[in-house]
Amino acid sequence: MANIVIPDDEPAVMSCSTAFRNLAGQNVRTYFTRPSGPAELAARIGDSDVVINIRSTSRFSVDVLEQCPALRLISIWGTGTDNVDLEAARRQGIRVTNTPGVSAVAVAEHTLALMMAVAKRTVQVDQQVRQGRWPRAMVTQLRGKTLGLIGTGAIGREVARLGAGIGMRVIAWTFHPRGNVAEWVALEEVFRQSDVLSVHVRLSAETSGLIRREHLELMKPGAILINTARGGIVNEADLVQALLTNRIAGAGLDVFETEPLPPESPLFAMPNMVLTPHAAGITPEATEAGLAIENVFAFLAGEPTNVVV
């Protein structure tokens, strides 16, 4: 029987799901806190054959993987694989699988919610009303505006449909444009033309720091930036500066360069920003899909599915 470890189910999403019951009878050990660093992660999974990874803050570096001689599979709950040293995993014969598309609807809906919250100043207005004020400031109407997408994978395509559904013109840039998801434009044109810019590429060596000062300076003063992909894709210091100087109107972020956000983060003081805790994909529907667990059983049966490496 395989030794299965879930090292980072915090806050708990996998262990409280119906799909988790499928692991009944298996040798499963679950931790309900996130490991504090590489040493604690290695200690938790050092004797495992299979790891089900919930949080991207658990980083499977070469040093961690070398301390796991029995490890044969890392099954990621989610699409992103930037927290795994894939080359090290390949060298050690460790399979890595993910769950493409499972959270696409959830993340797309969250993206739309952030767009609405920033455009309508929902958080600011709510706070002011609770303080006894009655603000009547103008807010942004999205119908007829341009939604620009950086990346058009499963989530990006779903966001494109939602944007078109509320009457937005949808433009996009991606590494490999295919089909009629949106009106394809050059990378710089997405920044120039967008009233709302939404990020949906994976974090990789190619996309780390992809969006920085020179791109933000191309944006309209009234534009909004939304990121539900990975924090490392957008240079956070450059984004803070763009917001402080009113170079852009606002931002909605579900992901950050450092997670959880440190108490000293300047993002907390930004009145034109809406923040959520990397929770866009956490819905009962996405969790109950159970694909990360299905990937484990497929691997143990000798027919691995959704293989990254």
Side-chain angles (χ1 to χ4, degrees):
M1 184 180 296
N3 188 12
I4 302 171
V5 178
I6 304 175
D8 50 9
D9 195 13
E10 189 275 322
V13 290
M14 179 62 72
S15 54
C16 57
S17 69
T18 303
F20 184 75
R21 298 174 191 168
N22 294 328
L23 291 173
Q26 301 294 318
N27 185 18
V28 181
R29 186 169 71 249
T30 304
Y31 294 87
F32 297 100
T33 58
R34 303 189 196 197
S36 58
E40 187 171 2
L41 177 60
R44 290 183 179 187
I45 67 172
D47 62 347
S48 63
D49 299 295
V50 172
V51 166
I52 301 177
N53 166 225
I54 309 298
R55 301 297 169 198
S56 62
T57 48
S58 293
R59 308 200 66 82
F60 298 85
S61 64
V62 60
D63 292 337
V64 169
L65 296 179
E66 285 177 349
Q67 298 178 64
C68 306
L71 185 58
R72 294 184 287 147
L73 172 68
I74 300 173
S75 176
I76 297 172
W77 182 65
T79 304
T81 59
D82 51 283
N83 60 319
V84 180
D85 187 326
L86 297 178
E87 183 53 40
R90 183 182 289 108
R91 286 198 305 270
Q92 289 185 218
I94 300 169
R95 289 278 195 183
V96 179
T97 61
N98 66 353
T99 58
V102 165
S103 299
V105 170
V107 177
E109 288 183 356
H110 195 92
T111 300
L112 180 62
L114 287 175
M115 288 166 50
M116 289 288 188
V118 178
K120 307 302 181 185
R121 301 179 60 201
T122 305
V123 174
Q124 291 170 276
V125 171
D126 173 84
Q127 291 172 343
Q128 291 170 13
V129 172
R130 291 172 188 271
Q131 294 164 3
R133 300 163 64 185
W134 204 249
R136 310 292 288 172
M138 289 287 185
V139 296
T140 301
Q141 181 171 300
L142 294 178
R143 183 174 180 177
K145 299 299 195 301
T146 297
L147 169 61
L149 305 176
I150 305 292
T152 55
I155 296 169
R157 292 194 299 272
E158 191 65 31
V159 173
R161 284 191 284 270
L162 293 176
I166 62 171
M168 300 185 79
R169 172 196 176 214
V170 183
I171 63 174
W173 173 89
T174 193
F175 287 104
H176 306 290
R178 292 190 299 271
N180 58 352
V181 174
E183 176 186 335
W184 302 112
V185 298
L187 179 62
E188 292 77 11
E189 286 304 308
V190 179
F191 292 96
R192 288 193 182 98
Q193 296 185 36
S194 296
D195 298 292
V196 178
L197 180 79
S198 194
V199 183
H200 300 290
V201 289
R202 293 183 183 181
L203 179 60
S204 65
E206 213 170 3
T207 63
S208 180
L210 175 69
I211 299 172
R212 49 195 183 274
R213 180 176 57 82
E214 57 259 43
H215 301 107
L216 299 171
E217 289 179 348
L218 296 173
M219 296 178 71
K220 302 175 183 179
I224 293 166
L225 184 143
I226 306 294
N227 188 6
T228 55
R230 283 290 190 270
I233 298 165
V234 180
N235 184 298
E236 215 163 85
D238 290 350
L239 177 59
V240 167
Q241 188 61 27
L243 291 164
L244 282 173
T245 59
N246 295 313
R247 185 63 197 81
I248 63 174
L253 304 180
D254 185 55
V255 290
F256 309 93
E257 288 182 348
T258 301
E259 297 181 2
L261 267 177
E264 67 276 10
S265 172
L267 299 179
F268 290 123
M270 298 283 148
N272 48 353
M273 178 173 283
V274 177
L275 310 174
T276 57
H278 203 154
I282 302 177
T283 65
E285 291 83 358
T287 304
E288 295 301 341
L291 186 53
I293 292 173
E294 292 176 19
N295 286 341
V296 171
F297 285 116
F299 173 81
L300 294 176
E303 298 178 354
T305 54
N306 300 305
V307 174
V308 179
V309 296

